[in-house]
Amino acid sequence: VCLTCCSRDVMVKIDQICHKNSVKFFTGDVFGYHGYMFADLGEHEFVEEKTKIAKVSPSVEDGPDTKKAKLDLSETTVVKKRVVFCQLKEALAVDWSGEKAKATLKRTTPDYFLLQ
């Protein structure tokens, strides 16, 4: 489900319905130069391809680059990952008075507060 140009209450209600029924939910809007996007994908599983790092023995190479690990581009491994997304209601219900939240506030874009 994709929503745009909806009130906060409508977005929260539809997200709750989608989350309950395991339906992916996206919402967003733009206000001039500012905008936001929110995604609730529920439990999302995906695979990521990682390049193996080859260990270099000091006897083979010497010099300043000996300690650096070399990437072996020929070998890759596939890693299965799982992410659990929060609901819109939870994302909007952050208590900004706590110490942990104050540290997070510095990294939070001002556009987050557009939705508030």
Side-chain angles (χ1 to χ4, degrees):
V1 173
C2 297
L3 290 181
T4 187
C5 302
C6 292
S7 71
R8 178 179 163 168
D9 293 337
V10 170
M11 290 186 289
V12 169
K13 185 173 182 170
I14 293 176
D15 179 42
Q16 288 175 332
I17 294 167
C18 290
H19 194 83
K20 189 167 121 181
N21 294 298
S22 300
V23 174
K24 293 174 179 14
F25 173 81
F26 297 89
T27 188
D29 211 338
V30 178
F31 307 101
Y33 290 110
H34 299 280
Y36 68 89
M37 192 280 294
F38 179 82
D40 178 2
L41 305 180
E43 293 184 20
H44 182 68
E45 292 185 356
F46 61 98
V47 292
E48 186 175 81
E49 195 170 321
K50 297 247 182 188
T51 305
K52 285 190 178 181
I53 298 175
K55 294 182 180 177
V56 179
S57 66
S59 60
V60 176
E61 289 187 29
D62 57 354
D65 294 334
T66 304
K67 293 182 182 178
K68 293 183 181 176
K70 304 273 182 177
L71 291 178
D72 184 4
L73 298 175
S74 61
E75 286 193 53
T76 59
T77 55
V78 176
V79 180
K80 187 175 182 179
K81 294 192 174 187
R82 180 176 170 262
V83 178
V84 179
F85 285 74
C86 72
Q87 293 185 41
L88 181 59
K89 186 176 182 177
E90 295 169 17
L92 295 173
V94 175
D95 178 18
W96 293 102
S97 62
E99 289 300 317
K100 187 176 180 181
K102 286 180 184 176
T104 306
L105 183 60
K106 293 177 184 176
R107 295 188 316 253
T108 302
T109 177
D111 294 341
Y112 167 83
F113 298 101
L114 265 172
L115 191 54
Q116 297 289 5

mmCIF file of all heavy atoms in Angstrom, residues 79-103:
data_model
loop_
_atom_site.group_PDB
_atom_site.id
_atom_site.type_symbol
_atom_site.label_atom_id
_atom_site.label_comp_id
_atom_site.label_asym_id
_atom_site.label_seq_id
_atom_site.Cartn_x
_atom_site.Cartn_y
_atom_site.Cartn_z
ATOM 1 N N VAL A 79 24.716 -13.940 2.132
ATOM 2 C CA VAL A 79 24.303 -13.907 3.530
ATOM 3 C C VAL A 79 22.826 -13.547 3.581
ATOM 4 O O VAL A 79 22.401 -12.542 3.004
ATOM 5 C CB VAL A 79 25.129 -12.858 4.311
ATOM 6 C CG1 VAL A 79 24.700 -12.818 5.765
ATOM 7 C CG2 VAL A 79 26.610 -13.137 4.188
ATOM 8 N N LYS A 80 22.044 -14.382 4.264
ATOM 9 C CA LYS A 80 20.614 -14.121 4.417
ATOM 10 C C LYS A 80 20.422 -13.226 5.636
ATOM 11 O O LYS A 80 20.961 -13.503 6.708
ATOM 12 C CB LYS A 80 19.850 -15.427 4.591
ATOM 13 C CG LYS A 80 18.356 -15.265 4.596
ATOM 14 C CD LYS A 80 17.664 -16.607 4.640
ATOM 15 C CE LYS A 80 16.164 -16.434 4.601
ATOM 16 N NZ LYS A 80 15.465 -17.709 4.624
ATOM 17 N N LYS A 81 19.668 -12.131 5.478
ATOM 18 C CA LYS A 81 19.436 -11.196 6.572
ATOM 19 C C LYS A 81 17.942 -10.981 6.768
ATOM 20 O O LYS A 81 17.145 -11.190 5.858
ATOM 21 C CB LYS A 81 20.113 -9.854 6.283
ATOM 22 C CG LYS A 81 21.621 -9.953 6.263
ATOM 23 C CD LYS A 81 22.237 -8.591 6.271
ATOM 24 C CE LYS A 81 23.741 -8.729 6.395
ATOM 25 N NZ LYS A 81 24.371 -7.430 6.567
ATOM 26 N N ARG A 82 17.590 -10.533 7.966
ATOM 27 C CA ARG A 82 16.191 -10.299 8.318
ATOM 28 C C ARG A 82 16.098 -8.985 9.091
ATOM 29 O O ARG A 82 16.874 -8.756 10.017
ATOM 30 C CB ARG A 82 15.691 -11.439 9.188
ATOM 31 C CG ARG A 82 14.263 -11.329 9.614
ATOM 32 C CD ARG A 82 13.872 -12.595 10.408
ATOM 33 N NE ARG A 82 12.602 -12.431 11.023
ATOM 34 C CZ ARG A 82 12.419 -12.086 12.294
ATOM 35 N NH1 ARG A 82 13.445 -11.906 13.080
ATOM 36 N NH2 ARG A 82 11.211 -11.950 12.774
ATOM 37 N N VAL A 83 15.178 -8.135 8.695
ATOM 38 C CA VAL A 83 14.968 -6.852 9.353
ATOM 39 C C VAL A 83 13.505 -6.772 9.765
ATOM 40 O O VAL A 83 12.620 -7.125 8.989
ATOM 41 C CB VAL A 83 15.304 -5.673 8.407
ATOM 42 C CG1 VAL A 83 15.035 -4.345 9.076
ATOM 43 C CG2 VAL A 83 16.733 -5.751 7.928
ATOM 44 N N VAL A 84 13.258 -6.306 10.990
ATOM 45 C CA VAL A 84 11.888 -6.113 11.463
ATOM 46 C C VAL A 84 11.646 -4.604 11.536
ATOM 47 O O VAL A 84 12.317 -3.899 12.293
ATOM 48 C CB VAL A 84 11.660 -6.763 12.839
ATOM 49 C CG1 VAL A 84 10.242 -6.517 13.315
ATOM 50 C CG2 VAL A 84 11.956 -8.257 12.773
ATOM 51 N N PHE A 85 10.707 -4.108 10.734
ATOM 52 C CA PHE A 85 10.404 -2.682 10.679
ATOM 53 C C PHE A 85 9.388 -2.319 11.748
ATOM 54 O O PHE A 85 8.515 -3.120 12.091
ATOM 55 C CB PHE A 85 9.832 -2.318 9.300
ATOM 56 C CG PHE A 85 10.861 -2.275 8.212
ATOM 57 C CD1 PHE A 85 11.393 -3.451 7.698
ATOM 58 C CD2 PHE A 85 11.307 -1.074 7.714
ATOM 59 C CE1 PHE A 85 12.335 -3.418 6.699
ATOM 60 C CE2 PHE A 85 12.262 -1.037 6.717
ATOM 61 C CZ PHE A 85 12.779 -2.206 6.207
ATOM 62 N N CYS A 86 9.495 -1.102 12.254
ATOM 63 C CA CYS A 86 8.518 -0.642 13.249
ATOM 64 C C CYS A 86 7.319 -0.021 12.541
ATOM 65 O O CYS A 86 7.388 0.339 11.371
ATOM 66 C CB CYS A 86 9.151 0.367 14.206
ATOM 67 S SG CYS A 86 9.478 1.979 13.488
ATOM 68 N N GLN A 87 6.235 0.098 13.277
ATOM 69 C CA GLN A 87 5.030 0.723 12.736
ATOM 70 C C GLN A 87 5.160 2.243 12.810
ATOM 71 O O GLN A 87 5.950 2.785 13.591
ATOM 72 C CB GLN A 87 3.812 0.278 13.530
ATOM 73 C CG GLN A 87 3.481 -1.186 13.366
ATOM 74 C CD GLN A 87 2.202 -1.549 14.087
ATOM 75 O OE1 GLN A 87 1.224 -0.804 14.071
ATOM 76 N NE2 GLN A 87 2.205 -2.709 14.715
ATOM 77 N N LEU A 88 4.378 2.937 12.007
ATOM 78 C CA LEU A 88 4.402 4.398 11.967
ATOM 79 C C LEU A 88 4.058 4.988 13.328
ATOM 80 O O LEU A 88 4.685 5.957 13.772
ATOM 81 C CB LEU A 88 3.431 4.916 10.896
ATOM 82 C CG LEU A 88 3.364 6.425 10.710
ATOM 83 C CD1 LEU A 88 4.723 6.995 10.328
ATOM 84 C CD2 LEU A 88 2.328 6.774 9.654
ATOM 85 N N LYS A 89 3.098 4.391 14.003
ATOM 86 C CA LYS A 89 2.694 4.889 15.326
ATOM 87 C C LYS A 89 3.870 4.874 16.296
ATOM 88 O O LYS A 89 4.068 5.813 17.063
ATOM 89 C CB LYS A 89 1.544 4.035 15.860
ATOM 90 C CG LYS A 89 0.947 4.526 17.141
ATOM 91 C CD LYS A 89 -0.240 3.685 17.548
ATOM 92 C CE LYS A 89 -0.881 4.217 18.810
ATOM 93 N NZ LYS A 89 -2.081 3.452 19.172
ATOM 94 N N GLU A 90 4.680 3.820 16.261
ATOM 95 C CA GLU A 90 5.860 3.719 17.129
ATOM 96 C C GLU A 90 6.915 4.755 16.745
ATOM 97 O O GLU A 90 7.560 5.349 17.610
ATOM 98 C CB GLU A 90 6.470 2.324 17.035
ATOM 99 C CG GLU A 90 5.603 1.219 17.553
ATOM 100 C CD GLU A 90 6.157 -0.157 17.194
ATOM 101 O OE1 GLU A 90 7.345 -0.259 16.839
ATOM 102 O OE2 GLU A 90 5.386 -1.119 17.256
ATOM 103 N N ALA A 91 7.103 4.963 15.459
ATOM 104 C CA ALA A 91 8.107 5.910 14.993
ATOM 105 C C ALA A 91 7.750 7.343 15.389
ATOM 106 O O ALA A 91 8.645 8.155 15.636
ATOM 107 C CB ALA A 91 8.265 5.807 13.482
ATOM 108 N N LEU A 92 6.472 7.631 15.447
ATOM 109 C CA LEU A 92 6.035 8.979 15.817
ATOM 110 C C LEU A 92 5.916 9.182 17.317
ATOM 111 O O LEU A 92 5.803 10.315 17.778
ATOM 112 C CB LEU A 92 4.687 9.286 15.152
ATOM 113 C CG LEU A 92 4.705 9.355 13.630
ATOM 114 C CD1 LEU A 92 3.288 9.490 13.100
ATOM 115 C CD2 LEU A 92 5.584 10.489 13.151
ATOM 116 N N ALA A 93 5.949 8.104 18.096
ATOM 117 C CA ALA A 93 5.739 8.190 19.543
ATOM 118 C C ALA A 93 7.046 8.221 20.327
ATOM 119 O O ALA A 93 7.085 7.806 21.477
ATOM 120 C CB ALA A 93 4.881 7.010 20.000
ATOM 121 N N VAL A 94 8.112 8.728 19.749
ATOM 122 C CA VAL A 94 9.402 8.793 20.435
ATOM 123 C C VAL A 94 9.330 9.838 21.546
ATOM 124 O O VAL A 94 8.852 10.950 21.335
ATOM 125 C CB VAL A 94 10.534 9.147 19.441
ATOM 126 C CG1 VAL A 94 11.847 9.345 20.159
ATOM 127 C CG2 VAL A 94 10.647 8.084 18.381
ATOM 128 N N ASP A 95 9.823 9.471 22.736
ATOM 129 C CA ASP A 95 9.891 10.402 23.858
ATOM 130 C C ASP A 95 11.230 11.127 23.776
ATOM 131 O O ASP A 95 12.283 10.532 23.992
ATOM 132 C CB ASP A 95 9.769 9.633 25.182
ATOM 133 C CG ASP A 95 9.873 10.548 26.384
ATOM 134 O OD1 ASP A 95 9.694 11.775 26.227
ATOM 135 O OD2 ASP A 95 10.143 10.037 27.494
ATOM 136 N N TRP A 96 11.209 12.392 23.449
ATOM 137 C CA TRP A 96 12.441 13.161 23.227
ATOM 138 C C TRP A 96 13.040 13.700 24.519
ATOM 139 O O TRP A 96 14.039 14.411 24.480
ATOM 140 C CB TRP A 96 12.176 14.301 22.250
ATOM 141 C CG TRP A 96 11.865 13.792 20.890
ATOM 142 C CD1 TRP A 96 10.645 13.682 20.307
ATOM 143 C CD2 TRP A 96 12.794 13.258 19.939
ATOM 144 N NE1 TRP A 96 10.754 13.128 19.061
ATOM 145 C CE2 TRP A 96 12.060 12.863 18.804
ATOM 146 C CE3 TRP A 96 14.176 13.078 19.934
ATOM 147 C CZ2 TRP A 96 12.653 12.299 17.684
ATOM 148 C CZ3 TRP A 96 14.768 12.519 18.812
ATOM 149 C CH2 TRP A 96 14.021 12.135 17.715
ATOM 150 N N SER A 97 12.482 13.380 25.688
ATOM 151 C CA SER A 97 13.000 13.913 26.950
ATOM 152 C C SER A 97 14.102 13.045 27.556
ATOM 153 O O SER A 97 14.824 13.492 28.433
ATOM 154 C CB SER A 97 11.860 14.093 27.959
ATOM 155 O OG SER A 97 11.271 12.832 28.247
ATOM 156 N N GLY A 98 14.243 11.795 27.119
ATOM 157 C CA GLY A 98 15.249 10.900 27.694
ATOM 158 C C GLY A 98 16.655 11.215 27.193
ATOM 159 O O GLY A 98 16.855 11.889 26.187
ATOM 160 N N GLU A 99 17.665 10.722 27.917
ATOM 161 C CA GLU A 99 19.064 10.958 27.557
ATOM 162 C C GLU A 99 19.430 10.312 26.221
ATOM 163 O O GLU A 99 20.133 10.895 25.416
ATOM 164 C CB GLU A 99 19.995 10.433 28.659
ATOM 165 C CG GLU A 99 19.962 11.264 29.921
ATOM 166 C CD GLU A 99 20.370 12.714 29.683
ATOM 167 O OE1 GLU A 99 21.353 12.954 28.947
ATOM 168 O OE2 GLU A 99 19.698 13.613 30.217
ATOM 169 N N LYS A 100 18.936 9.093 26.003
ATOM 170 C CA LYS A 100 19.231 8.400 24.747
ATOM 171 C C LYS A 100 18.629 9.154 23.567
ATOM 172 O O LYS A 100 19.238 9.287 22.513
ATOM 173 C CB LYS A 100 18.699 6.970 24.807
ATOM 174 C CG LYS A 100 19.097 6.117 23.642
ATOM 175 C CD LYS A 100 18.615 4.689 23.815
ATOM 176 C CE LYS A 100 19.019 3.845 22.629
ATOM 177 N NZ LYS A 100 18.541 2.472 22.748
ATOM 178 N N ALA A 101 17.425 9.680 23.756
ATOM 179 C CA ALA A 101 16.751 10.416 22.687
ATOM 180 C C ALA A 101 17.464 11.736 22.393
ATOM 181 O O ALA A 101 17.526 12.171 21.244
ATOM 182 C CB ALA A 101 15.298 10.675 23.061
ATOM 183 N N LYS A 102 18.023 12.368 23.406
ATOM 184 C CA LYS A 102 18.741 13.627 23.196
ATOM 185 C C LYS A 102 19.967 13.412 22.318
ATOM 186 O O LYS A 102 20.297 14.248 21.482
ATOM 187 C CB LYS A 102 19.141 14.240 24.538
ATOM 188 C CG LYS A 102 17.970 14.841 25.279
ATOM 189 C CD LYS A 102 18.386 15.438 26.599
ATOM 190 C CE LYS A 102 17.178 15.947 27.367
ATOM 191 N NZ LYS A 102 17.533 16.454 28.689
ATOM 192 N N ALA A 103 20.638 12.279 22.491
ATOM 193 C CA ALA A 103 21.793 11.963 21.641
ATOM 194 C C ALA A 103 21.335 11.667 20.217
ATOM 195 O O ALA A 103 21.995 12.038 19.248
ATOM 196 C CB ALA A 103 22.555 10.770 22.221
#
